[in-house]
Amino acid sequence: MSHVKQAIIMAAGVGQRMQPVTLTTPKPLVRVNGVRMIDTVIQALQNNGIREIYIVIGYLKEQFYSLVSEYDGVHLIENPYYDTCNNISSLYVAREHLEDVIILDGDQIIYHDDILSPDFERSGYNAVWTDEETNEWVMQVDNGIVTSCSRTGGKKGWQLYSVSRWTKEDGKKLKRCLEEEFDGKKNRQIYWDDVAMFCHFDEFQLGIRPMKQDDIIEIDNLSELIALDDSYAQYLTDSKI
């Protein structure tokens, strides 16, 4: 049994699909019904005893500085590549913290803390079973092992969510693979998840952490934000003026 000792929160992106809200506020700091999304992530981690937390920042980075004083154990890592590379760059700059780690996005809302439980047997992603068609990444699993993943979606599979745990051994491999892709191949326009799920899939035997759809919400765009908090409907009205 492995145990999460540290967390990496990805929070460097521009959040273009949620503009104009994110023109002045980084997406993880957007308030949904009065609460910043990243607060739900940090508090859920801390409620699970995970208190060594690294937040990767880039876009409007100064707005994250206060988190260091608001929460014990929070450290900031600046990503200088955030505006020219995909999010592989964010994990690359945090690659010294990949052993016994949980990696998750800062722009999601955690509703049930237990989905971030620190104990785990196998590296892999939180996932929700879906019978219906989805455009999100979908994994096929056999005897607890991920056998394939579709980045173009599908149905009757396990939808991948942006919460993953990595053992000490797999974290070392992930670090090496990240360096190979980012430094060696200059492969900088991919998601970091591509590294383990596609570029070096055979080097890992990943599992899943089943959860329910209402345990977590990933907000991808302005419409989804308005569906949760109608105070943002004004941005649609303003854009039509």
Side-chain angles (χ1 to χ4, degrees):
M1 179 71 73
S2 295
H3 187 84
V4 171
K5 297 177 180 175
Q6 54 192 343
I8 297 173
I9 300 176
M10 313 287 267
V14 175
Q16 283 185 315
R17 288 184 291 173
M18 205 179 282
Q19 290 180 355
V21 177
T22 50
L23 291 176
T24 55
T25 305
K27 189 178 173 185
L29 298 182
V30 169
R31 294 182 182 273
V32 181
N33 298 312
V35 180
R36 297 177 303 191
M37 287 190 274
I38 201 169
D39 287 317
T40 73
V41 177
I42 296 173
Q43 290 167 12
L45 288 168
Q46 292 188 337
N47 289 342
N48 278 285
I50 304 168
R51 297 190 172 277
E52 185 178 341
I53 300 171
Y54 299 90
I55 303 176
V56 184
I57 59 174
Y59 176 66
L60 299 176
K61 61 186 180 182
E62 295 83 3
Q63 295 189 33
F64 291 93
Y65 292 170
S66 65
L67 292 174
V68 175
S69 58
E70 292 176 40
Y71 293 101
D72 291 335
V74 165
H75 311 274
L76 304 179
I77 299 175
E78 294 190 14
N79 176 6
Y81 313 101
Y82 80 90
D83 57 346
T84 58
C85 302
N86 209 329
N87 80 354
I88 184 177
S89 63
S90 284
L91 198 60
Y92 173 82
V93 300
R95 67 192 184 280
E96 299 302 327
H97 306 286
L98 287 178
E99 298 177 17
D100 292 322
V101 68
I102 187 168
I103 306 170
L104 63 173
D105 288 348
D107 58 354
Q108 51 193 354
I109 301 174
I110 308 294
Y111 284 111
H112 298 114
D113 294 353
D114 58 351
I115 67 170
L116 303 188
S117 172
D119 294 318
F120 65 110
E121 294 184 3
R122 182 183 295 278
S123 300
Y125 287 82
N126 279 34
V128 172
W129 176 262
T130 177
D131 285 312
E132 305 300 322
E133 191 77 31
T134 176
N135 294 325
E136 303 294 334
W137 289 20
V138 173
M139 300 174 288
Q140 299 301 320
V141 177
D142 185 27
N143 290 324
I145 306 294
V146 177
T147 57
S148 66
C149 181
S150 167
R151 58 161 65 85
T152 56
K155 60 182 178 180
K156 296 192 180 301
W158 290 94
Q159 181 179 330
L160 180 152
Y161 278 73
S162 299
V163 177
S164 62
R165 296 166 181 79
W166 301 85
T167 65
K168 183 176 182 178
E169 179 183 342
D170 284 341
K172 289 179 178 178
K173 284 195 287 187
L174 184 57
K175 178 178 182 289
R176 172 177 53 78
C177 294
L178 277 167
E179 291 172 341
E180 180 180 330
E181 296 300 323
F182 195 83
D183 289 327
K185 298 180 181 178
K186 308 297 182 185
N187 194 6
R188 301 181 173 183
Q189 300 305 324
I190 60 174
Y191 295 109
W192 78 260
D193 311 272
D194 280 303
V195 175
M197 294 302 293
F198 296 101
C199 303
H200 299 270
F201 183 74
D202 291 340
E203 296 196 39
F204 301 89
Q205 279 202 320
L206 301 179
I208 61 167
R209 183 75 164 243
M211 64 178 187
K212 299 176 182 177
Q213 197 162 20
D214 62 357
D215 286 335
I216 187 172
I217 287 186
E218 297 176 341
I219 304 176
D220 290 329
N221 53 52
L222 182 58
S223 296
E224 291 179 6
L225 175 62
I226 293 171
L228 286 176
D229 185 341
D230 61 10
S231 69
Y232 290 99
Q234 62 179 309
Y235 287 95
L236 289 180
T237 304
D238 292 345
S239 66
K240 296 176 182 177
I241 296 176

